[in-house]
Amino acid sequence: MRRSPLLAGVLAGLARPPRTLASSLFYDARGSQLFQWITNLPEYYLTRVEREILTVHGEAIVAPMGRGRCTVVDLGAGDGHKTQLLLRRLLDRGARVTYAPVDISQAALDVARERVSADTPAIEVRTVRATYARALRLLQGDRESGPKLVLFLGSSVGNLEHQEAHSFLAGLRRALRPGDHVLVGFDLVKPLPVLQRAYDDAQGLTRAFNLNLLARLNRELGADFDLQAFRHVATWDPGRPAMESWLEATRRQTVVIGRVAHHFAAGERIHTEISCKYTLEHVGGFAAEAGFVEAGRFTDRDGWFADALWRVEA
Ligand code: AVJ
């Protein structure tokens, strides 16, 4: 029997400890919707403070794009709400803008297109349904639509281990040309109770988001996870530093996926996500190592989040 890439990946991740499921698996239609709701939670400060940064500093962030033609590439666009703040500033300047949201979720792309068409109809929208790796290859081919501003907002970079983040950013640098810019959102280290609440909210949306991963495997792979028998756990790893998400078996059990049986001990965990937290030293380090020149660093009032603007030089 041939295994789908999804099944193969899941089986490999669960085969031996530490059991792992990739965080990219969160974003089916349901998971993307749940994440959208999370971004509106009072506890999930990331979206709120980054919106503040883009509202206050939007003008300065888009200024290097000039007033002619340009393309805004949005990696992991989500619903595109924060991006609107920048697109409006570009239009204010009289720029002719193409907007290229990149996402693996078609639902998220549809929402982003609708929002931009309704809010800023002068902007041409070109949706790209792709992984980041493929999006970089597409980027490299495109030399027609003016300088690029590549957005990697929301601390999506935090889902990558530092080494992976470095390779990704270095790959991004190689895909770009002099005059292009990137804006990368980094969630900064802050008091632990704030982080804990953000990744384990009172309403239980983050719990539902994490558990949806198992529900998805039940739906798409015919797995038989009992959703009552796993709980959401969010922990802090001061070493990385990072918040981490897990699904913990509340009792001993066996789960069958694609005819393979997986035995779980009570308390055994599946690792589902790391959300790295950064210092400003990390931010400067990533820029330098990837070969970018820092053009600006924008933070919110409380210093909880940083959007770093980096330039590509010849
Ligand atoms: C979309 C990766 C930035 O890590 O904060 C939200 C995803 N996970 N709540 C994050 C997420 C749990 C989010 N990122």
Side-chain angles (χ1 to χ4, degrees):
M1 191 184 71
R2 277 210 46 200
R3 285 177 177 173
S4 69
L6 174 64
L7 178 58
V10 166
L11 291 181
L14 294 180
R16 58 193 120 58
R19 298 189 198 260
T20 308
L21 290 170
S23 55
S24 56
L25 298 176
F26 284 137
Y27 301 95
D28 65 352
R30 170 94 185 135
S32 298
Q33 175 66 80
L34 283 164
F35 178 65
Q36 229 48 76
W37 289 333
I38 287 172
T39 63
N40 291 321
L41 284 171
E43 294 101 321
Y44 196 72
Y45 60 86
L46 289 86
T47 311
R48 188 175 60 252
V49 301
E50 194 175 39
R51 198 179 298 140
E52 174 194 322
I53 294 170
L54 301 182
T55 301
V56 174
H57 301 287
E59 174 73 47
I61 290 169
V62 303
M65 289 295 99
R67 298 178 191 278
R69 204 164 173 192
C70 70
T71 299
V72 175
V73 179
D74 200 355
L75 298 177
D79 68 0
H81 190 111
K82 284 176 293 191
T83 309
Q84 275 310 108
L85 297 165
L86 298 178
L87 294 180
R88 282 194 217 117
R89 296 294 81 77
L90 280 164
L91 288 184
D92 292 347
R93 298 174 57 80
R96 215 173 106 215
V97 188
T98 302
Y99 175 55
V102 178
D103 209 293
I104 48 178
S105 157
Q106 185 60 48
L109 290 173
D110 291 343
V111 174
R113 175 188 286 282
E114 243 155 74
R115 183 185 290 277
V116 172
S117 307
D119 192 64
T120 46
I123 290 178
E124 184 193 334
V125 183
R126 248 188 258 158
T127 61
V128 183
R129 186 176 184 188
T131 60
Y132 297 151
R134 202 169 77 83
L136 291 196
R137 287 197 295 277
L138 293 174
L139 266 185
Q140 212 150 12
D142 174 32
R143 331 219 116 187
E144 314 273 89
S145 359
K148 294 189 183 72
L149 174 61
V150 179
L151 308 178
F152 197 37
L153 302 180
S155 206
S156 299
V157 68
N159 274 175
L160 305 173
E161 299 279 0
H162 287 311
Q163 186 51 49
E164 294 171 317
H166 165 72
S167 334
F168 175 76
L169 294 169
L172 179 57
R173 164 67 187 79
R174 285 191 300 273
L176 297 174
R177 289 184 303 158
D180 291 343
H181 284 70
V182 303
L183 184 71
V184 189
F186 291 94
D187 192 24
L188 302 177
V189 171
K190 60 184 58 59
L192 184 51
V194 177
L195 291 169
Q196 200 73 51
R197 280 194 293 274
Y199 289 89
D200 196 1
D201 63 280
Q203 215 179 303
L205 281 181
T206 308
R207 171 181 177 279
F209 176 68
N210 201 5
L211 280 161
N212 175 60
L213 217 163
L214 301 183
R216 177 183 183 182
L217 301 187
N218 287 350
R219 286 191 293 267
E220 290 184 33
L221 299 178
D224 64 352
F225 282 102
D226 175 357
L227 301 191
Q228 310 297 317
F230 283 86
R231 68 184 194 99
H232 166 67
V233 178
T235 59
W236 171 242
D237 174 358
R240 266 193 187 104
M243 286 301 295
E244 294 191 81
S245 295
W246 313 79
L247 289 161
E248 184 180 283
T250 57
R251 55 171 167 74
R252 196 172 156 228
Q253 61 195 289
T254 300
V255 178
V256 178
I257 314 169
R259 302 222 189 97
V260 182
H262 301 269
H263 305 286
F264 288 88
E268 194 172 342
R269 289 175 180 179
I270 305 171
H271 188 256
T272 55
E273 185 174 46
I274 81 166
S275 300
C276 291
K277 304 304 162 194
Y278 302 92
T279 62
L280 291 176
E281 289 69 50
H282 284 124
V283 174
F286 277 119
E289 283 167 30
F292 288 103
V293 175
E294 286 195 84
R297 254 186 221 168
F298 306 92
T299 55
D300 58 297
R301 240 173 324 176
D302 299 318
W304 278 8
F305 198 96
D307 277 307
L309 184 66
W310 297 342
R311 182 172 65 236
V312 177
E313 274 183 8

